Amino acid sequence: MKPFKISASGVRGVIGGALTPDLLIRFAQSFGTYLESGRVVVGRDTRPTGPMLHYAVLAGLISTGCEIIDLGICPTPSIQLMVEHLGADGGISITAGHNDASWNALELIREDGIHLNPFQGQEVLDIYHQGEFIRAPWNRLGKVREESGAVDLHIHKILEGIGGEAIRERRFKVAIDPCNGTGGLVDRSLLEALGCEVVAINDEPRGFPPHDPELIPRNLLQLSSLVRASGADVGFAQDLDADRLAIVDETGRPAGEENTLALLCEYTLRKHPGANIVTNLSTTRAIEDIAGRYGGSALRTKVGKEYIAEYTKNFGAALGGEGSGGIVVPQVHYAEDSFAAIPLMLQFMAETGAKVSELVSSLPKYTMIKEKVPCPPERIYRILSEIREMYSEENVDMTDGVKVDFGDSWLHVRASNTEPIIRVIVESKDEGRAETLCRRTLKQIHFLLTE
Amino acid sequence: MGKERLRSLKISISGIRGIVGEALTPELLANFAMAFGTYMNGGSIVVGSDTRVSGEMVRYAVLSGLIATGCEVIDIGICPVPTIQIMVEELQADGGVAITASHNPKEWNALKFIGNEGTFLNACQGEELLNIYHQGGFIKAPYTEYKGVIAHPSAAEIHINKILALDYIRPEIIKGRKFTVALDTCNGAGATITPQLLERLGCEVVSIHDQPNGLFPHDPEPIPENLGDLCELVRSSGADAGFAQDADADRLAVVSERGEAIGEDYTLALAAKFILEKKGRGPVVANLSTSRVVEDVARSLGEKIVYAKIGEINVVEAMKRTEATIGGEGNGGVILPDVHYGRDSLVGIALILQLLAESQKSISQIAASLPRYHIVKRKVDCPSSKIFPILKEIREKYAKERLNLIDGVRIDREDSWIHIRPSNTEPVMRIVAEAKTEEEASRLCDNITEDMNEILSPQ
C-alpha cells in the first residue's frame, strides 16, 4: 500500500497508489456538493502529474453543476486571492506543496480564500463517505471558464498592500530559485516592479522539480552558489505552490527555514510594537523572544496551514506564519504567501540598510533539530501516549501531539497531517542539549515501535 | 426509479453509454478509460468528441483516466467519429476513444473504443476490455511514467485531404458545376468540417442547425421525419442537393433538389453506384437491415452483395475479409476502404457530388432510376428472457423459406424481406421489413409482431 491520506485537510498521496481518478472525481464531487454547485476556482502547481488530477477535478465539479474558473498552473496563494476577488464559493489547489514529485494532493479553499478549517473539512469528508453527490442533468452541468489574470492581480495587490518605495531606491540584486514551481510565474515581474535586478535559477514553471522542493538547507545549494556567483544581496527559494519561502544571505548561507518567520516577525514588531504574532507549536521559540522584546505576544496553534491564516485573521495579528516558511501578511490577504513575504523582507533590508547576514545574526540563537520516523498509523496514538506518560512530571501541552516544555528547551512529538510518520522536533539554546534530547526521544520511539 | 436508472446505463462490448446526471457518472467514465488504458498498456491514444453539452465533462474524466494509466493522449477536440478513426491510423497511435452517443438524444453520452487500425474494437476485443473493467486491476502508472496531453489542431484538414486525394474525386469537375448544397449538421460534429469540405469542392453552402453546440434542434437520427427543416431549406434556396448528418457525422442522409428526403437507405446505394461504375473490383458489404436497393445496384453492375451482422465493426470485418469495394449500412453509413474502414458521411458527400457532376443528372433523376422499395422499421418491447424463445419459434415457423440466421432471423422473399433481431442497446426487438409498397412492408411487420405477441402472451 502506497502512502495515502484522506482527511479534513484534503486528499494527498503518492502517484501510482490510491490517488486514482475515480477517488479524485468523487472527492471533487463531495466539494461541489458541499458548495451546493457554486462557483469554484481551480489551479495547480507545475508537477507533471498535475493534469491527471486537474482533469479529474474538472470532471467531478462539472458533474455537480459547479461554475468553474480554471486558472491552469497557478500558485496556491494566487488561487486563494482569486477565490476572494471573484466572489467564488470555494477553490481547489492541486498541489503537494513541498513534497517531492511523486506526491500530489487536493487542498480545499473556502469563500474567504482561507483553507477549510477542520470542521468544514470534516463536513466535506462526511459527504464523501456518504457518497451521495449532486448529479446535474446534461443541461445543468457546470461550465469551465479559463482565467489568466490571477498573477497580475496578485502582484497588483501586493504592491498596493506593501508600497515598496524604499525597496525601489535600493536597487537590490535578488537571486531566486522557485524550483521550477509556480513561483517562476510571479517572481521576476514582482521583483522588477520593486526595482530589483533578478538572477534566477530553475524559474521555468514546468517539468520535474530539479531538486527536492522542501526548503531545508541541503536543497538550497544551487541558490547559495548563485548568490555567491552573482553577488546578490539576498536569495529566495520557494516550494512548488509558492506558499513557502526560504532566505539565503548575501554570503550564500541559508538563514534557516525557521528564520523566515523570525526575520519578518522582527521587522513587523519594530513597525508595530505590541502586536500579536500567530504561529504553530513546532515553530522556534525565537518568536516569543522577539515578541517579548517589543511588548507583543505569540499565539500558538496546532500545526497545519489551515490554522495559521484563520487565527491570524480572527486575532487581528500583525503577522502569521510557520517555521516551514509559510508567511501570512495581513496587508495582502490571509493566506500563506511567499510573494507577500518577499517585499516584507526587502523592506526590512531597505529600511535598516543592514546586510541579511547581519539581520540573521541579530535573531535569538537556537538549535532546532527536526526528525521524522515512519510509523504505521495504528501505532501512532499508542506511541504518543507513551511519550506523554514519560514526561508526566513536566510541563506538557497536548494541543497537537505532545509538546514538553523544559524551560531552556522543548520537545514536540506529533503525527504528521500528511504522511504516515511521527515528527520529532527539539529546540534548545544549547546545541548539545538539543542533540541529546532528540537522540533520546528517537531511541524511545524506535523501542516502542519494535516492542 | 430503479428500473429507469438501470436503463439509463449500458456497458457492453460496444463501450459504455448512458444518461448524464443519472448513471453515466464521471467516476464510471474515468474507470472505463483506465480499463482501456490498461488494455492498451499505456500507449498513445487519440481522443475526440461530438458536440454534446456533456462532452466536456466526459472528456475530462477520460483524459484523467488515460493519463493515470500512463497513456500519451492526442486530443483532437470536437470532430466527427471518422476523423478520430483516421487520426489513429494517420498518427500510428495505439488506439482511440470517441466520445459520442451518435444518434441518441442529447442527454445521452457514450464512449466508443478504437483499436490501432483505426476501427472499433470487435466483439472479442470488446470482451477483453470489459473483463479488465470488471476485474478492476488497472495500471496505475508511477509519476515518472506520466506523459502529457498533446492538442492536434489539424485533424479536420488531414481528413479532408485524404478524401480529396482519391483519384476518382475530381474537385475541378465538381467546382465546374457550381453546386448549391444545403446542409443540416444537427448542431453536431459535422458543423465545422463539412462546410470546409464543401468549399474545397467549390460548392455554395447554405446551412441550417450549423452551430457545434450540441443543442440538437431535432432528433439527430437522419431519417425522413427529422429532415423537414432541410427539405424546406433545399426548396427555398434552390439547392442541387441537401445533406443531413447525425451528431457524430458518421451517417448521411440525402435530400433531392425537389426537397424530398430520398431515404437514408439510398445514401449507400448512390455511393455504391458511383464507385462500382468507376472501379468495380470487389463485392459490396451491407448489414442485414439494409435495403435491397443496395443489392440491386451491386448486381446490376456485376458485383456480389455480402451481408454482415449489425454493427459497424462487423461490416468492416466482412469488408476486409472479402476485399470489398465499398460497404456500409442502410442507416446512411458509407464505408470506403480507399479512405478508411469506418462509416464516414464526408466520404458519402464527396462520392455523391462526384456522381452528380459526372452524370449530369439530378438526384431525383438518379434516385428514380433505382428500384423503389419501402422500408418500415419498428421496435417492440421484449423481456430479455423471451428473446431466444421468440427467435426459435420464428425460425421454426418460417423454416421452409430462405433464412439468414447470422443476426436474429432474416427472411428473404422474391421482392420483400423481413429481419427481426434483439437490440444491442435496449430491451427491445427490432423489426425491419421492406417491400415494393409501404402497406406490404407494414403488413410484414404486423405479421412478425403478431408472431412475437403469441409467444409473449400465449392464449
Side-chain angles (χ1 to χ4, degrees):
Chain A
M1 169 87 179
K2 293 281 179 66
F4 170 76
K5 183 118 179 168
I6 183 160
S7 71
S9 325
V11 51
R12 170 181 298 262
V14 167
I15 295 294
L19 202 64
T20 60
D22 174 88
L23 186 144
L24 292 159
I25 288 169
R26 284 186 283 116
F27 201 77
Q29 287 174 327
S30 312
F31 191 51
T33 302
Y34 175 71
L35 298 180
E36 295 171 352
S37 312
R39 184 187 292 179
V40 187
V41 178
V42 176
R44 68 169 198 263
D45 73 16
T46 55
R47 55 192 81 219
T49 59
M52 184 275 275
L53 290 89
H54 200 140
Y55 291 131
V57 164
L58 294 180
L61 291 175
I62 294 171
S63 74
T64 50
C66 290
E67 176 195 345
I68 299 147
I69 296 132
D70 187 358
L71 305 180
I73 291 178
C74 189
T76 298
S78 308
I79 298 170
Q80 293 176 267
L81 192 69
M82 285 302 272
V83 169
E84 218 185 335
H85 177 73
L86 296 170
D89 299 289
I92 297 183
S93 181
I94 300 162
T95 176
H98 63 283
N99 289 131
D100 70 52
S102 66
W103 289 81
N104 218 328
L106 304 186
E107 293 181 357
L108 304 183
I109 298 160
R110 60 190 201 197
E111 78 283 354
D112 61 357
I114 296 178
H115 286 79
L116 263 58
N117 71 31
F119 301 102
Q120 297 166 318
Q122 189 58 48
E123 286 174 341
V124 176
L125 213 50
D126 288 342
I127 296 171
Y128 173 81
H129 288 132
Q130 196 163 315
E132 283 181 13
F133 313 129
I134 295 174
R135 301 250 184 236
W138 73 275
N139 55 354
R140 283 205 284 276
L141 290 172
K143 299 239 185 314
V144 182
R145 176 166 69 80
E146 286 177 22
E147 165 65 56
S148 57
V151 163
D152 288 344
L153 175 84
H154 197 169
I155 291 173
H156 174 77
K157 263 288 218 229
I158 290 170
L159 296 176
E160 195 182 65
I162 289 175
E165 267 319 301
I167 302 170
R168 279 185 202 95
E169 283 166 20
R170 292 290 306 274
R171 307 224 152 266
F172 288 123
K173 186 181 228 183
V174 178
I176 56 166
D177 178 358
C179 199
N180 288 351
T182 53
L185 294 169
V186 181
D187 290 345
R188 189 175 287 276
S189 311
L190 173 65
L191 287 165
E192 285 175 357
L194 291 167
C196 299
E197 183 189 339
V198 180
V199 287
I201 192 164
N202 307 322
D203 64 336
E204 280 282 313
R206 61 182 64 89
F208 283 102
H211 54 74
D212 188 330
E214 188 161 13
L215 301 176
I216 52 180
R218 73 176 146 84
N219 296 329
L220 302 179
L221 295 175
Q222 277 186 299
L223 180 61
S224 296
S225 312
L226 181 64
V227 168
R228 280 193 297 271
S230 64
D233 298 294
V234 63
F236 293 119
Q238 292 150 312
D239 66 345
L240 296 187
D241 67 334
D243 59 346
R244 295 183 177 187
L245 182 73
I247 298 170
V248 168
D249 75 16
E250 77 288 352
T251 70
R253 192 181 146 95
E257 44 176 350
E258 296 292 313
N259 282 339
T260 305
L261 179 62
L263 284 164
L264 298 180
C265 182
E266 172 75 29
Y267 173 65
T268 303
L269 281 159
R270 282 190 197 185
K271 299 278 265 196
H272 309 283
N276 286 334
I277 307 293
V278 168
T279 187
N280 69 34
L281 285 168
S282 283
T283 299
T284 178
R285 185 176 284 165
I287 305 304
E288 270 88 0
D289 297 349
I290 296 165
R293 286 181 197 166
Y294 300 99
S297 59
L299 300 167
R300 296 270 176 178
T301 71
K302 290 171 81 168
V303 177
K305 65 170 148 185
E306 61 269 36
Y307 299 100
I308 300 293
E310 187 157 16
Y311 277 66
T312 303
K313 187 177 188 178
N314 290 344
F315 286 102
L319 190 75
E322 304 185 80
S324 53
I327 307 294
V328 178
V329 182
Q331 298 97 296
V332 180
H333 62 150
Y334 291 98
E336 294 193 1
D337 184 346
S338 65
F339 308 117
I342 285 173
L344 221 55
M345 182 62 204
L346 293 174
Q347 220 152 18
F348 192 16
M349 293 159 61
E351 287 177 14
T352 56
K355 292 184 169 143
V356 176
S357 59
E358 291 164 2
L359 297 174
V360 172
S361 66
S362 74
L363 297 171
K365 292 278 174 303
Y366 283 97
T367 299
M368 181 181 277
I369 305 173
K370 300 179 185 180
E371 290 288 350
K372 52 188 177 188
V373 186
C375 175
E378 70 275 11
R379 308 290 296 273
I380 285 175
Y381 289 98
R382 181 163 139 60
I383 288 171
L384 290 178
S385 78
E386 291 285 343
I387 301 272
R388 193 178 64 221
E389 283 304 309
M390 221 170 283
Y391 294 106
S392 55
E393 304 296 305
E394 306 284 346
N395 182 2
V396 177
D397 179 337
M398 294 187 323
T399 314
D400 185 2
V402 182
K403 183 168 179 179
V404 191
D405 191 338
F406 301 102
D408 62 328
S409 52
W410 56 267
L411 161 71
H412 191 192
V413 182
R414 57 178 283 273
S416 163
N417 291 332
T418 53
E419 297 166 69
I421 57 176
I422 289 183
R423 294 192 187 279
V424 176
I425 304 110
V426 299
E427 191 181 53
S428 175
K429 288 248 181 220
D430 180 83
E431 194 176 339
R433 166 82 175 126
E435 277 167 12
T436 314
L437 188 56
C438 185
R439 210 175 323 120
R440 199 171 72 206
T441 309
L442 289 177
K443 214 165 149 186
Q444 283 158 346
I445 293 172
H446 284 300
F447 173 75
L448 291 168
L449 273 172
T450 51
E451 216 180 19
Chain B
M1 178 65 196
K3 199 167 185 186
E4 282 301 303
R5 193 160 175 122
L6 270 179
R7 287 182 187 185
S8 70
L9 183 72
K10 184 93 185 173
I11 292 179
S12 74
I13 54 171
S14 322
I16 174 171
R17 172 188 301 260
I19 294 178
V20 172
E22 293 179 21
L24 194 74
T25 63
E27 57 271 35
L28 199 66
L29 291 159
N31 282 330
F32 220 90
M34 284 190 83
F36 186 60
T38 303
Y39 182 59
M40 289 296 166
N41 199 19
S44 58
I45 308 292
V46 177
V47 176
S49 67
D50 72 17
T51 56
R52 278 162 210 273
V53 174
S54 62
E56 187 174 37
M57 181 275 277
V58 176
R59 196 170 127 254
Y60 289 139
V62 166
L63 293 182
S64 180
L66 291 175
I67 296 169
T69 53
C71 289
E72 178 186 49
V73 179
I74 300 135
D75 184 358
I76 61 174
I78 290 177
C79 66
V81 163
T83 310
I84 305 170
Q85 296 177 319
I86 285 170
M87 290 304 284
V88 170
E89 196 182 12
E90 186 78 16
L91 300 171
Q92 299 183 327
D94 296 294
V97 180
I99 299 168
T100 173
S102 53
H103 58 278
N104 287 138
K106 53 198 165 202
E107 66 270 23
W108 288 77
N109 216 328
L111 305 183
K112 294 178 180 169
F113 296 97
I114 297 165
N116 65 349
E117 291 178 359
T119 54
F120 288 124
L121 300 189
N122 65 26
C124 302
Q125 294 165 323
E127 190 74 46
E128 286 170 349
L129 174 59
L130 265 190
N131 286 339
I132 294 172
Y133 173 75
H134 287 128
Q135 199 165 307
F138 311 136
I139 293 177
K140 294 176 189 170
Y143 78 99
T144 45
E145 286 172 22
Y146 267 54
K147 298 179 192 78
V149 175
I150 304 159
H152 197 300
S154 49
E157 204 181 328
I158 291 170
H159 186 174
I160 290 172
N161 288 344
K162 236 175 139 74
I163 294 170
L164 297 183
L166 294 168
D167 56 7
Y168 40 83
I169 296 297
R170 308 279 297 280
E172 70 284 2
I173 294 180
I174 298 175
K175 275 179 194 156
R177 295 290 306 277
K178 295 192 172 8
F179 288 131
T180 297
V181 174
L183 184 64
D184 177 357
T185 58
C186 197
N187 292 342
T192 312
I193 186 173
T194 316
Q196 288 171 11
L197 171 72
L198 290 169
E199 276 155 28
R200 299 264 307 262
L201 292 171
C203 298
E204 188 187 325
V205 182
V206 287
S207 58
I208 192 167
H209 312 317
D210 54 0
Q211 300 302 311
N213 60 17
L215 302 174
F216 306 148
H218 54 72
D219 185 329
E221 187 137 18
I223 53 178
E225 49 263 51
N226 297 328
L227 301 182
D229 294 347
L230 180 62
C231 293
E232 179 56 41
L233 179 65
V234 168
R235 282 192 292 267
S236 64
S237 65
D240 300 286
F243 293 119
Q245 294 161 309
D246 68 344
D248 56 352
D250 53 0
R251 291 162 53 182
L252 178 71
V254 181
V255 170
S256 78
E257 79 289 351
R258 292 176 173 175
E260 290 163 356
I262 64 170
E264 69 278 17
D265 283 279
Y266 282 75
T267 307
L268 178 57
L270 292 179
K273 178 175 161 60
F274 170 76
I275 196 84
L276 292 178
E277 282 171 350
K278 279 284 163 194
K279 52 159 250 184
R281 46 147 218 267
V284 176
V285 176
N287 75 24
L288 281 170
S289 286
T290 303
S291 168
R292 193 177 277 171
V293 67
V294 175
E295 183 172 340
D296 292 343
V297 165
R299 286 182 195 280
S300 72
L301 294 165
E303 286 294 350
K304 278 198 314 182
I305 181 106
V306 174
Y307 284 109
K309 287 177 74 167
I310 306 295
E312 174 175 332
I313 186 60
N314 299 316
V315 175
V316 163
E317 294 199 323
M319 287 177 71
K320 287 183 174 173
R321 200 170 56 239
T322 60
E323 296 181 10
T325 308
I326 194 167
E329 301 175 349
N331 59 18
V334 175
I335 303 171
L336 182 67
D338 288 348
V339 174
H340 184 76
Y341 280 106
R343 294 182 298 182
D344 188 339
S345 62
L346 298 150
V347 163
I349 288 172
L351 293 178
I352 290 168
L353 287 175
Q354 189 71 32
L355 173 67
L356 280 187
E358 291 181 17
S359 69
Q360 302 282 335
K361 288 180 183 157
S362 66
I363 288 181
S364 57
Q365 285 170 331
I366 299 170
S369 73
L370 300 175
R372 196 69 212 170
Y373 294 99
H374 293 272
I375 210 160
V376 174
K377 300 179 185 181
R378 286 197 192 151
K379 55 183 186 181
V380 181
D381 288 339
C382 177
S384 317
S385 59
K386 295 292 186 188
I387 287 172
F388 290 105
I390 286 171
L391 292 176
K392 176 172 170 285
E393 288 291 329
I394 288 174
R395 201 164 61 224
E396 284 168 3
K397 179 167 179 184
Y398 297 97
K400 295 215 170 91
E401 301 203 47
R402 188 148 59 92
L403 301 185
N404 184 323
L405 304 175
I406 63 173
D407 190 1
V409 181
R410 171 162 157 149
I411 308 158
D412 266 280
R413 293 176 183 148
E414 185 58 30
D415 38 40
S416 65
W417 56 269
I418 182 151
H419 183 207
I420 176 169
R421 69 175 183 96
S423 164
N424 294 324
T425 51
E426 295 168 74
V428 298
M429 280 287 197
R430 292 193 188 279
I431 299 171
V432 184
E434 190 180 59
K436 286 284 184 188
T437 65
E438 187 163 348
E439 294 72 32
E440 175 63 8
S442 292
R443 202 183 55 76
L444 291 172
C445 280
D446 292 342
N447 290 348
I448 286 284
T449 309
E450 277 166 31
D451 293 340
M452 249 187 89
N453 287 336
E454 267 173 36
I455 301 158
L456 282 173
S457 48
Q459 298 307 307

